[in-house]
Amino acid sequence: MPFSAQPPASGERYALSASLDNARHLSSLLRAVHFQDHATCLATASGLRVTVEDAKCIQANAFIQAEIFQEFSVQEESVMFRISLSVLLDCLTIFGTSSLPGTSTALRLCYRGYGYPLMLFLEEGGVVTVCKINTQEPEELLDFDFCSTKVVNKIILQSEGLREAFAELDMTSEVLQITMSPDKPYFRLSTFGNAGSAHLDYPRDSDLMEAFHCNQTQTNRYKISLLKPSTKALALSCKVSIRTDAQGFLSLQYMIRNEDGQICFVEYYCCPDENITEAEL
Amino acid sequence: MKCVIAGGNVKVLGRAVHSLSRIGDELYLEPTESGLSLRAVNSSRSAFAAFLFAPLFFQLYEPGSAGPDTELFRCKVHMKSFLGVFRSLPSLEKSVGKCLILLKPRASRLVLQLHCKHGVTKTHNLAFQECERLQAVFDTQRCVSRLCAPARLLAEAVVHFPPTLAEVTLGTGTSGRISLRNYVEDDAEPSKTMVTELWLAEDEFQSVAVAPGSHITFCLKEFRGLLSFAEASNLPLTIHFDKPGRPVIFTLDDTVLEVHLVLATLSDLDSSSQCPSTNGVSHLPAPPDDFGDDLESYMAAMETSEGCSEGPPSPTFPLRTPQPAKSKPQQQEEEEEEEEEEEEEGAVPGTPPHKKFRSLFFGSVMTPGRPGPATTQEVLAEDSDGES
């Protein structure tokens, strides 16, 4: 396969081609879902979706809509491939991760199609780096079948109220228990660790609470090790929506504002943990 | 017991817990009529710290009721668990408005509830263990020398010593000058050691009432915890000390807070500690050879023995080395305990390792109002290395 050090001419047909003036718009979002080595990328006319899964219980999606890119074109209806997210991130941040004001890495992304590697052209300060990352057959993704009509409880919180709590979660606890209720304690995060139990309560009238729609008292437990990576997404976000459905599936949606003020989303889906026996309260 | 701490005092409590965490692995809570006492002791019983928060420190203070036969409930918790609640001091200051401490004996839980801004409540339910009263036997009145200095002075002095330095010697020189010098072991190689000594003039202290030419050596690491608390609280620190081997007592006094840190000091080579029978405690029943971990039973044995009325009690434990004439004042560090055990090849099995810092006295239950501990029986609490 020919290897060219120059970006392809605009006449060439690529299944996916995109350019971005500031690669950080992409790399920071990908970091928020980087808890496994591999990710599945799906490109459609609306934008790019990068999915990471673990243990068949948790799925994280980073959405970078087409409007974020300076150029974004997908030739077919959709393009999908599996790629090493670790390598992709290393390449995107090849000029370093510190963000000096005024400097940014420009990115051009090209993908010829099934079986071809993903080409990245990165430029900063006149220096160009070309990366070629092999792609793999995409694997079947989990479908949590989570839609807004099935939501039982939903709250929207300002992220600043949760950030510290998530960073300080008692990791000696196997689970993170989430209680959502129209009555007290309204919204409660609980851990049961070696030191004892800890509960974090957010009242419905807290000024951190942007929206509170809880219809039924639900208490669900999730493996804390699976949810802990979502702390990265929380740290980047300004708002988070927490929703559960009748089966206790959890949806966390993070609204992230990038350096240019554009809005992107990251979401995490998690299955409730059935194996944990009745935990003490 | 139920108490509520409000506003800036939450951070003070947090700092106290951080200070205590430098001493021991367990935090002892003792509500009394005169306030809530938080205490810690290190595993070799050579350091003891107590923070007494007066009722005025709290927005609400209910120590609970003691019956005619029962005392006020006290307990101990894992230091790490308690510290976890107050881990981030900046965030305590920024977001916590109130802290509630509730002891629920029947549920076996100590409840710590932080009321934070935005209406958020953090509740921690910690497991606790009932315990005996933890009290080191010491009496500041019996100390010959006393120094009082702003914490800042000592903090600035101590900064000259490397952070890893274990022991420091405080000395009183001529014309009221006070010296601080890093302690160097006798068997240290002269070519590889660095000695740092600094002298402070008498007028830098708030008060100096010392016996000239005296000196004491104590563990700097354990002192640093209290020093940072004192500096942050802007309180003057008082140092009470006596002969080498007798404990040094650091105190902080405030209208709502009383802090004591008692550290064992190194005995002098020339002291009478070589001959166990002549250190003034000859009639003290020697601990049995199979002393082991059972501190409680040892203390019970002490309670039944006659009180000592002969002179001030010495905190030195009768030496039990194979060669009593060769008593080297080696440094006792928790980390070096394994090293020492290897050196003690000829030691009697079951003998506690040769400790450089003698253990402090630990009294059994003491009720307030009793005469000074010095005039009652002596209790030696020697820690066995087998204690888990």
Side-chain angles (χ1 to χ4, degrees), chain B residues 20 36 88 179 194 245 265 284 288 332 342 347 377:
Chain B
L20 286 163
L36 178 66
S88 166
S179 75
M194 180 173 82
T265 63
L284 188 72
Q332 163 63 36
E342 283 155 8
Q377 65 188 9

Side-chain angles (χ1 to χ4, degrees), chain A residues 1-2 7-18 71 73-79 108-114 116-117 119:
Chain A
M1 186 193 346
S10 48
E12 288 195 40
R13 293 195 54 145
Y14 277 81
L16 163 68
S17 86
E71 240 186 82
S73 96
V74 181
Q75 292 301 322
E76 294 146 25
E77 225 184 85
S78 73
V79 164
R108 181 151 180 86
L109 213 137
C110 304
Y111 176 65
R112 265 225 169 101
Y114 182 81
Y116 285 90
M119 303 283 286

Side-chain angles (χ1 to χ4, degrees), chain A residues 30-38 51-55 58-61 85 225-226 228-230 232 267-269:
Chain A
L30 294 183
R31 254 198 235 109
V33 299
H34 184 210
F35 55 88
Q36 285 287 289
D37 193 51
H38 280 80
T51 306
V52 179
E53 291 184 346
D54 189 15
I58 187 156
Q59 180 186 86
N61 297 293
L85 185 57
S225 54
L226 295 178
K228 182 75 176 169
S230 68
K232 273 189 248 175
E267 65 188 10
Y268 273 72
Y269 289 105

Side-chain angles (χ1 to χ4, degrees), chain A residues 196-201 203 206-207, chain B residues 81 118-125:
Chain A
S197 61
H199 305 288
L200 192 54
D201 293 345
S206 164
D207 49 1
Chain B
S81 316
H118 304 301
V120 178
T121 311
K122 284 190 210 179
T123 310
H124 296 257
N125 300 297

Side-chain angles (χ1 to χ4, degrees), chain A residues 60-125:
Chain A
N61 297 293
F63 295 93
I64 307 101
Q65 53 270 43
E67 293 74 38
I68 306 283
F69 294 88
Q70 272 62 56
E71 240 186 82
F72 193 86
S73 96
V74 181
Q75 292 301 322
E76 294 146 25
E77 225 184 85
S78 73
V79 164
M80 197 162 170
F81 54 83
R82 190 163 174 264
I83 197 167
S84 163
L85 185 57
S86 313
V87 173
L88 176 59
L89 271 169
D90 282 345
C91 292
L92 288 172
T93 56
I94 204 143
F95 288 104
T97 48
S98 62
S99 45
L100 290 166
T103 62
S104 61
T105 309
L107 165 74
R108 181 151 180 86
L109 213 137
C110 304
Y111 176 65
R112 265 225 169 101
Y114 182 81
Y116 285 90
L118 178 71
M119 303 283 286
L120 302 175
F121 298 87
L122 295 132
E123 186 266 325
E124 186 176 307

